[in-house]
Amino acid sequence: MIEPGFADRLTRRFGPQIIDWVQAAPALAERLALEWRLRPNTMFPDGSTSLTVGCTTESGTDAVLKLSPQLDVIAEQDRVLRAFQPGGRVPAVFRSAPEHGAILLERLPGGRVTTPTAAQLAEVLSGLHGAVASPRAVVDKELRDGVEYFLALAEAKLGLDGIAGVVLPEDIARARRLRDRLVTSQTETVLLHGDLHYDNLLDCGPDRGLVAIDPKSSIGEPCFDAIDWVLDGTQPISRKIDDLVALTGFDGERLADWCRVGAPVLAIAAIARGRDPGPLLRFSRS
């Protein structure tokens, strides 16, 4: 049941201190499968922060058992996914044991998306943001802190080959200043997904539509969750902003500014994928 590269992936991600958890995880997965009456059938080979096992429940429903050494992350995902549930844009949570870093999720039938339309994204955002009446009852992390997580990761990579001299310390400093101004002046706040890149969106067909997975939630301005879509490079940024504003009522200038905050982070991701970061950096510096 356990895919051979699992230990290497998690050790690269967390370091050698994770070895004890890695060695214990297969036995924990087997114990939970027995307790929850699951039939494991496959392991997903691409997770860098968790062990994810496809399985079937006692009633014949396809599910995913996810185990992570980050107990706080699993506990938050458990709360957030249950809170988002009424909007229909996240997988169902069947069982959870946050004290073990374990959660059992609906196994979605779709694959990753490539280029969602503005209408598809607007539907996802509406379903997510409209599902939770009291976001601070779910998480206590504000958007400023959620953004800092990504900016700090980006800042730590500025000296790496291919990034040094291309993405500059001033790009991160500028993003922080703009973030602080935007957070101070925001008037509407919702429970955000917080990490809505395309690897976290699944296309589940015409009936279900797009479904979001793996939230890194905070509380803040709704248009923040549109950054990855606006900056995906498939169309001019100004056109994508106009298209989404027409469907959502977002403030176009604030959406553009939030995209400027995220652009240096996405520029580093573009470099890692062999793509030209120039358009993102020129936009962020404009």
Side-chain angles (χ1 to χ4, degrees):
M1 180 178 71
I2 303 304
E3 186 264 334
F6 155 69
D8 290 339
R9 287 197 311 275
L10 267 76
T11 302
R12 285 196 301 271
R13 171 64 174 80
F14 294 109
Q17 65 272 17
I18 205 67
I19 290 297
D20 288 346
W21 185 90
V22 167
Q23 293 175 342
L28 175 60
E30 292 178 5
R31 178 163 66 83
L32 288 173
L34 182 63
E35 290 179 5
W36 293 351
R37 299 183 179 181
L38 308 174
R39 294 191 300 277
N41 50 48
T42 187
M43 179 175 173
F44 298 99
D46 55 354
S48 63
T49 62
S50 62
L51 170 65
T52 50
V53 179
C55 52
T56 305
T57 68
E58 187 178 30
S59 64
T61 302
D62 289 334
V64 175
L65 175 63
K66 179 177 178 179
L67 303 177
S68 173
Q70 298 176 296
L71 305 190
D72 56 339
V73 171
I74 292 297
E76 181 178 299
Q77 286 194 358
D78 184 22
R79 295 194 308 272
V80 168
L81 290 173
R82 291 179 190 275
F84 277 145
Q85 202 68 63
R89 295 296 175 175
V90 294
V93 178
F94 295 146
R95 300 283 296 268
S96 64
E99 69 278 11
H100 297 304
I103 189 168
L104 183 67
L105 301 169
E106 171 189 12
R107 184 170 181 176
L108 298 166
R112 297 295 200 277
V113 300
T114 51
T115 54
T117 66
Q120 286 178 309
L121 184 74
E123 289 176 355
V124 171
L125 297 180
S126 176
L128 292 173
H129 299 160
V132 184
S134 302
R136 284 185 173 82
V138 183
V139 299
D140 59 4
K141 182 170 61 180
E142 300 294 331
L143 181 53
R144 184 189 187 284
D145 299 320
V147 174
E148 182 59 29
Y149 170 83
F150 294 107
L151 292 177
L153 287 178
E155 191 172 41
K157 297 176 181 178
L158 292 182
L160 299 180
D161 289 346
I163 297 173
V166 179
V167 183
L168 306 175
E170 176 54 27
D171 292 316
I172 305 299
R174 183 187 306 107
R176 283 193 171 108
R177 292 193 299 269
L178 183 52
R179 170 206 60 188
D180 290 346
R181 178 172 67 79
L182 288 166
V183 166
T184 300
S185 59
Q186 66 188 2
T187 58
E188 180 185 6
T189 58
V190 299
L191 182 63
L192 296 165
H193 178 282
D195 196 21
L196 206 57
H197 56 76
Y198 292 173
D199 285 343
N200 282 343
L201 279 172
L202 299 179
D203 187 349
C204 295
D207 294 333
R208 184 82 176 264
L210 301 189
V211 176
I213 62 172
D214 291 344
K216 286 187 176 67
S217 290
S218 58
I219 298 165
E221 191 164 8
C223 63
F224 176 83
D225 272 342
I227 291 174
D228 286 88
W229 182 83
V230 172
L231 298 181
D232 71 359
T234 59
Q235 293 178 338
I237 291 171
S238 59
R239 177 178 174 184
K240 298 203 81 173
I241 289 173
D242 289 344
D243 288 348
L244 193 59
V245 166
L247 293 169
T248 61
F250 289 161
D251 182 310
E253 291 185 3
R254 293 185 66 85
L255 174 56
D257 279 346
W258 274 118
C259 289
R260 290 186 175 94
V261 172
V265 177
L266 294 182
I268 290 175
I271 292 170
R273 294 185 176 98
R275 293 169 42 203
D276 178 14
L280 292 168
L281 293 173
R282 288 191 292 273
F283 174 72
S284 72
R285 295 163 181 169
S286 64

